[in-house]
């Protein structure tokens, strides 16, 4: 069973935004055994949209259309689809009530163009959008589903997760397919590949291994296709167990999760508290942790000390330490971590100080040099890293490295994690 | 003059990588007056590639093709193009010498599949690739240029910049095109549309206005096409000035920038210092600011005080205030902002406390309620917001709202900003 994605919007064709929706949709559909035949991006031009729909409908069984559902004049998707499907628009009373409640809640006056958000294709079934004003729509046309969604990523994701994926799962004709994803950390992609080369080489023909690297972590995904879903689950679990044994301490979780989630759950279960002291990561570690619901049960907060003054004030780093070793040094991050642990009364504290770039490097301390310390039950562990020249990547890699060091210390001091495999 | 981009590779269609190449290519081409009609992503399947090429050649004057030029079995682009153009492959001696030198340098043994990297379409002119092993190719076919490039982003960018863009500039028939992007904040898309409805309605036919919303900000983009680039620049600037006057305090910048950048530049130029005190945003505001190079000149740091204990400890919030009004209250954010301003010795301090969700709401203080305070020269301004139920969006909107409040206070207290219009 094959699907095509059509993304609509001038902003993609002039390069103002990067289309991240298609990759996300492709991942979701592949996970339920629906392959993507083609992704097409066209402008907000009715004729181009209609040509793209016509061609895609000749190739695919399912069409997913995103973008161009906003209230302003440049958004033409709904009107164009009405032409393509030869139907009218009707104002949906449930959607209208929802849009009105959003405006009421935020105490903004509502205009006619906002009311038009409640207009839907009269051939469609509404895919209700709790998190925004533009509803999704499901249209059956010549026996094929057309799924229309807003282009705002979180709205699209909400509609996909809550409304579309459950319905697509019901469709007949999908080829059983199973993905088993694992999380590894603190080891590069090529080292990992070398470590598990023989397991990979011995994989049966219907099971495929993919490496999905991000700064500091690598996801491993086994994809199996076959006739029987239960068999595929058992087979991939057996291989996952082999990989887990081989990868050892770098194996973080036998599921598709994140380092922050693994740490949150571990600390939450044991009633442990965390704080961070961040210089070059600038609050990014705190932001990653507090993005998780329930993080307040294990996270006290962070001192983002961009200046030396704040390092002394909030973390009791000594003037003398800064003078003799500098802000980016083992001694400074050690004092930062201990200061955070003591002042915020937490069990564990992470401290990071580095030269994120692009400026500020010296021959002795080049851009990309980062010192990390983690204070725990029995003292402090420290380590230096040399990342690259890109500021954003350095911040991301420093954050991942710090969380991985915390994870290792938690395991060493608190006993192995209890996640079932 | 219109171009189409065809990206080839299974990894895009299974969602393993996000296609960032197309947006980059689109930006480069738009800048030289070549519009993108469509972007098409297909798998490494010869038939799909040939269909995509055939359809695109019927719509566009120029075709850009990326991906599938690697040495392994799954890369079929060159063989498929040879079929499409009805030509052979020839081994290019200059490319071969280059590939050999790369292997020599890295002391890796060279295999026959690596030598095949030097095979090029015999109808093509080689677009030499100094930074990788896969050469680009320029093929004239039925009077249209086909530009074939590797999919590795930095190799593609190198070939585009050094070889392709200079040649495309020479092509006749490019239609001058000009984009003028502006940044607005603190006003929703539909209000903005209403406010400028008459200006938009009066736009000449060759100038088009687009709204590009993100949580808390909206970009406005004027796109003009015509015969003379200088005229287009003048015309769009005149309209931008009208928009600026109409939009007033919600007009942030007459260029494509971000709220953080506008604030960093404003404060940097005036030697003003900032700190943040963050509860529900969890360090996100600090992270946004410190993502910018040079932010250390105006940003002291942040107290991410997730617990009441830390609010008292780092920001001198009174126990009594927390007891009688709660952590999410005007009184608490006021004390947080003043505490940050005083303790971190800064000119301006932002404080945010809210219920990000999904849990933790009460009838009086529902999920989505956020209090923000900004302390400045002449005291503190405070405001409450009621956002939605999505934790990630609440954090993003709270951050944008806080930065916008800071921007307003900076303007009120420090005089209007000096960005040229």
């Amino acid at each position: 069973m094959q699907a095509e994605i059509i993304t609509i919007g001038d902003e993609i064709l002039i390069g103002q935004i990067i289309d991240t929706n298609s990759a996300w949709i492709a991942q979701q559909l592949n996970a339920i055994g629906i392959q993507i035949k083609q992704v097409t991006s066209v402008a907000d031009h009715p004729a181009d949209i209609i040509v793209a729909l016509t061609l895609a409908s000749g190739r695919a069984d399912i069409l997913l259309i995103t973008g161009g559902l906003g209230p302003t004049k440049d958004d033409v998707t709904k009107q164009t689809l009405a032409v393509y499907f030869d139907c009218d628009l009707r104002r949906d009373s449930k959607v209208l009530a929802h849009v009105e409640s959003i405006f009421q809640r935020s105490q903004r006056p509502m205009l006619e163009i906002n009311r038009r958000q409640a207009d839907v294709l009269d051939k469609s079934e509404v895919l209700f959008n709790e998190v925004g004003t533009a509803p999704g729509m499901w249209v059956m046309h010549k026996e094929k589903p057309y799924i229309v969604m807003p282009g705002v990523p979180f709205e699209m994701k909400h509609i996909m997760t809550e409304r579309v994926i459950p319905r697509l799962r019901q469709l007949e004709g999908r080829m059983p397919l199973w993905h088993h994803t694992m999380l590894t950390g603190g080891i590069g992609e090529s080292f990992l590949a070398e470590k598990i080369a023989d397991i990979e080489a011995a994989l049966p023909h219907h099971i495929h291994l993919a490496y999905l690297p991000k700064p500091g972590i690598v996801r491993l995904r086994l994809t199996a296709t076959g006739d029987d879903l239960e068999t595929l689950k058992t087979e991939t679990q057996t291989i996952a167990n082999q990989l887990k044994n081989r990868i050892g301490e770098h194996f973080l979780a036998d599921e598709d999760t994140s380092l922050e989630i693994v740490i949150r759950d571990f600390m939450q279960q044991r009633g442990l508290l965390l704080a961070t002291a961040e210089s070059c990561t600038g609050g990014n570690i705190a932001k990653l942790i507090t993005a998780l619901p329930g993080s307040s049960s294990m996270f006290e907060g962070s001192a983002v000390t961009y200046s030396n003054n704040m390092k002394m004030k909030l973390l009791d780093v000594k003037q003398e330490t800064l003078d003799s070793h500098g802000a980016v040094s083992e001694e400074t991050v050690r004092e930062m971590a201990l200061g955070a642990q003591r002042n915020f009364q937490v069990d564990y504290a992470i401290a990071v100080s580095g030269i994120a770039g692009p400026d500020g490097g010296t021959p002795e301390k080049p851009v990309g040099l980062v010192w990390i310390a983690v204070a725990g039950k029995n003292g402090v562990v420290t380590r230096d890293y040399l990342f690259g020249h890109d500021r954003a990547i350095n911040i991301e890699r420093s954050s991942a490295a710090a969380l991985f060091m915390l994870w290792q210390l938690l395991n060493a001091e608190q006993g192995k994690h209890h996640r079932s495999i």
Side-chain angles (χ1 to χ4, degrees), chain A residues 276 278-288 290 302-304 306 399:
Chain A
T276 64
E278 308 186 44
S279 188
C280 71
T281 50
N284 191 51
I285 301 174
K287 178 237 158 193
L288 290 172
T290 58
S302 177
V304 181
Y306 231 50
S399 304

Side-chain angles (χ1 to χ4, degrees), chain A residues 319-341:
Chain A
Q319 176 83 62
E320 190 191 309
T321 308
L322 291 165
D323 288 346
S324 31
H325 303 283
V328 180
S329 65
E330 181 169 19
E331 292 76 6
T332 296
V333 287
R334 178 186 296 274
E335 290 184 17
M336 286 170 70
L338 288 169
Q341 190 185 36

Side-chain angles (χ1 to χ4, degrees), chain A residues 85-137:
Chain A
F85 295 129
D86 191 18
C87 71
D88 290 322
L89 294 174
R90 65 174 173 83
R91 192 153 293 185
D92 186 278
S93 55
K94 190 178 162 204
V95 175
L96 184 62
H98 168 65
V99 175
E100 283 171 346
S101 78
I102 288 180
F103 275 81
Q104 254 162 28
R105 207 174 133 94
S106 60
Q107 299 176 321
R108 290 180 290 158
M110 190 161 162
L111 312 168
E112 171 55 21
I113 59 165
N114 303 122
R115 287 199 182 83
R116 269 184 235 144
Q117 291 288 74
D119 293 349
V120 297
L121 296 159
D122 69 2
K123 277 186 76 164
S124 74
E125 206 174 311
V126 172
L127 302 169
F128 199 74
N129 176 5
E130 284 90 347
V131 300
T133 54
M137 290 170 278

